[in-house]
Amino acid sequence: MSDMSRIKTFNLPDLGEGLTEGEILAWLVKVGDTIELNQPIVEVETAKAAVEIPAKWAGQVQAIHHPEGTTVEVGTPIIAIDTDPGAGPLEAPSTTATPSGDLPTPSAASLAAVEVAPAEGMIEPGLIGGAAPGGRTAVLVGYGPRTTAAKRRPRKGGVPAQAVAASAPAAPAPQPVVVPVAAPARDGQAASATGGVLAKPPVRKLAKDLGVDLGTLTGSGPLGSITREDVQRAANGASAVVAEPIAATTAPSFGADREQRIPVKGVRKLTAENMSRSAFTAPHVTEFLTVDVTRAMKALDRLRGRREWRDVRVSPLLLVAKAVLLAVQRHPMVNSTWAGDEIVVKEYVNLGIAAATERGLIVPNVKDAGRLSLRELADALTDLVQTAKSGRTSPAAMSGGTLTITNVGVFGVDTGTPILPPGESAILAFGAVREMPWVHKGKVKVRQVTTLGLSFDHRIIDGELGSKFLRDIGDFLTDPEAALLAWT
């Protein structure tokens, strides 16, 4: 194998449908590291989520093209990998000048050799970088990478990204450049983007499989790295050293003009675009309903007391979600999309739950939530919330939502006028549950009360349909047991 055919250039793949760029949050490898096939090599943040990208080839890292903090467009080379490091050192490129004094021009064959040779490194159809149906290039999520130059966002107080020579001899033209990146700890440990957590890739995978957040642990390994034993102890509920939580917000840093300028990017940029498009496209109407939920709260207490539910997270949001799903069965038109010259009514319900994260507002959804039992729904909501809080929600989990709940009550707010997520026709705001004076059976008593706010697309849902849908949700929360007997 020639030197140049050994070098494989890995382009940034499409990380989500419709996404064209991503910001490099953290490199999990450094130049000179030996990596395995499918080993996570870089963490990239898109407009939807933070994603770890696996290596397409095993080998040795020869060059890293962009530093952390760089925004890179889909299709841009980000790393170069020597797929046969055991064949010996790479030959240095010739710099012998021609009689005219110019450096020799690489031949077309030598330039083409840098690409993936058909007989070597070929990716199976359907895998990342391989052939997809219709002759397209398969990517992580969806199709459509673009081969364009990278856009670099200046890093405040950081070192400019300059090309420096790699420690190993570089391959011939096109010459990969190496930029300064934060090197992982020794022994192949990878630094997380949150809090400098150190853990080897197998440990990170184990933590992901067991549902353990590495950011909450203090490792017992070298340099404070997290070991398999640390993860297993945390998963088994044993006493583990818990790290101090990272502050959700940092103190503002003002300049001489006493103003701070915050770049709009990632999740916040996508949220702004979606909300602006929705607010000025779909004619919004919002209705409110105040409900006595005392019986619903007592039903939750009884549910928590049952032996088979003792290890399940039971919250008021669970009953609100169940109420919405049952109300959709009674009013299917609410679960629909405006498609220009037609309305698409969906039998399935991908129930979105708005979640506030450190990166901004995201709306992951529970797929086909209407088919889940109450216990399955509780588990799905718990997993959704925990994944969102850890910053590991995938783009696929945030795609395809059909109807959304936003739980503003967790912030002590009574209700709101939520804006529809694009492509959805209804969103419910669930307010705080408070003890308030309420007329009950002809007497004023202290009851547990909440206020619901339903925003809907008036092109699809008229006032009567929206009112009936909201009323049914309120009826279920007023007396869930009676509603279940009457509706199912």
Side-chain angles (χ1 to χ4, degrees):
M1 182 185 297
S2 67
D3 285 351
M4 287 189 293
S5 63
R6 287 167 50 182
I7 302 298
K8 308 298 183 186
T9 299
F10 183 25
N11 298 339
L12 180 68
D14 185 355
L15 301 173
E17 296 182 13
L19 301 180
T20 60
E21 64 183 21
E23 179 186 355
I24 296 176
L25 291 180
W27 281 104
L28 309 180
V29 295
K30 64 181 183 296
V31 173
D33 279 356
T34 299
I35 60 175
E36 300 176 355
L37 178 67
N38 292 327
Q39 174 182 329
I41 56 175
V42 64
E43 184 176 29
V44 175
E45 181 184 38
T46 70
K48 291 187 175 182
V51 180
E52 287 185 353
I53 299 178
K56 290 200 297 184
W57 307 283
Q60 186 178 64
V61 178
Q62 288 298 305
I64 291 175
H65 296 296
H66 304 285
E68 296 173 0
T70 302
T71 298
V72 180
E73 293 196 357
V74 168
T76 302
I78 58 174
I79 191 171
I81 300 172
D82 180 359
T83 58
D84 191 15
L90 296 168
E91 295 181 3
S94 173
T95 57
T96 303
T98 63
S100 62
D102 298 327
L103 291 176
T105 302
S107 65
S110 66
L111 291 175
V114 179
E115 303 297 330
V116 180
E120 300 170 316
M122 181 62 72
I123 307 300
E124 295 182 11
L127 296 183
I128 300 171
R136 296 172 291 182
T137 300
V139 290
L140 287 181
V141 181
Y143 301 112
R146 298 190 302 174
T147 305
T148 53
K151 292 190 298 184
R152 298 193 177 189
R153 176 178 59 81
R155 302 178 68 185
K156 185 176 181 181
V159 178
Q162 299 174 343
V164 297
S167 57
Q175 181 71 29
V177 294
V178 182
V179 293
V181 296
R186 63 172 180 259
D187 300 330
Q189 295 163 349
S192 168
T194 55
V197 175
L198 297 178
K200 293 182 179 179
V203 177
R204 296 165 66 89
K205 184 178 186 303
L206 176 65
K208 182 177 181 180
D209 293 341
L210 297 179
V212 175
D213 182 4
L214 293 178
T216 64
L217 304 180
T218 296
S220 59
L223 297 178
S225 62
I226 296 175
T227 65
R228 294 180 62 89
E229 291 72 22
D230 295 330
V231 174
Q232 289 168 345
R233 279 198 302 269
N236 295 332
S239 58
V241 182
V242 180
E244 289 295 326
I246 301 174
T249 58
T250 57
S253 176
F254 297 108
D257 58 357
R258 301 175 67 189
E259 295 179 348
Q260 180 184 20
R261 298 182 183 275
I262 302 173
V264 179
K265 59 181 181 126
V267 174
R268 188 168 298 280
K269 181 178 180 181
L270 180 67
T271 300
E273 293 173 351
N274 286 343
M275 293 300 98
S276 297
R277 183 168 71 251
S278 178
F280 295 105
T281 301
H284 284 58
V285 173
T286 305
E287 294 185 335
F288 305 97
L289 180 64
T290 303
V291 183
D292 177 3
V293 294
T294 305
R295 288 184 177 178
M297 297 301 103
K298 290 181 178 179
L300 285 179
D301 289 338
R302 292 195 298 272
L303 195 60
R304 295 186 186 102
R306 295 186 65 87
R307 182 176 63 256
E308 60 270 29
W309 280 77
R310 288 176 184 170
D311 296 330
V312 181
R313 177 178 174 80
V314 179
S315 69
L317 179 62
L318 174 61
L319 286 188
V320 174
K322 187 65 176 179
V324 167
L325 294 171
L326 290 175
V328 167
Q329 293 178 9
R330 292 166 59 81
H331 308 285
M333 185 66 74
V334 171
N335 188 51
S336 59
T337 297
W338 182 269
D341 56 353
E342 62 183 1
I343 296 173
V344 182
V345 183
K346 300 168 184 178
E347 182 183 13
Y348 59 92
V349 181
N350 292 341
L351 185 62
I353 304 295
T357 71
E358 292 185 8
R359 291 189 175 96
L361 176 68
I362 63 174
V363 188
N365 60 78
V366 178
K367 307 298 184 185
D368 215 354
R371 293 183 178 272
L372 302 180
S373 67
L374 189 64
R375 171 61 186 268
E376 291 170 336
L377 182 60
D379 291 338
L381 290 174
T382 299
D383 180 69
L384 179 148
V385 172
Q386 290 179 346
T387 302
K389 287 183 177 179
S390 68
R392 298 299 177 186
T393 302
S394 68
M398 292 183 280
S399 301
T402 64
L403 196 150
T404 295
I405 299 172
T406 175
N407 186 9
V408 298
V410 297
F411 306 110
V413 175
D414 289 330
T415 190
T417 56
I419 297 177
L420 293 167
E424 299 182 21
S425 62
I427 178 173
L428 180 75
F430 172 39
V433 177
R434 304 182 186 279
E435 289 189 342
M436 297 180 64
W438 192 265
V439 178
H440 179 68
K441 296 181 179 180
K443 297 181 179 180
V444 177
K445 297 183 178 180
V446 175
R447 305 284 288 180
Q448 291 179 287
V449 177
T450 191
T451 300
L452 307 172
L454 178 71
S455 292
F456 52 87
D457 186 340
H458 214 356
R459 295 173 300 181
I460 302 173
I461 304 172
D462 57 24
E464 179 184 10
L465 176 58
S467 299
K468 288 181 176 179
F469 180 71
L470 183 58
R471 180 201 62 198
D472 280 357
I473 296 173
D475 286 348
F476 180 91
L477 295 176
T478 298
D479 193 343
E481 292 139 323
L484 283 173
L485 291 174
W487 298 347
T488 60

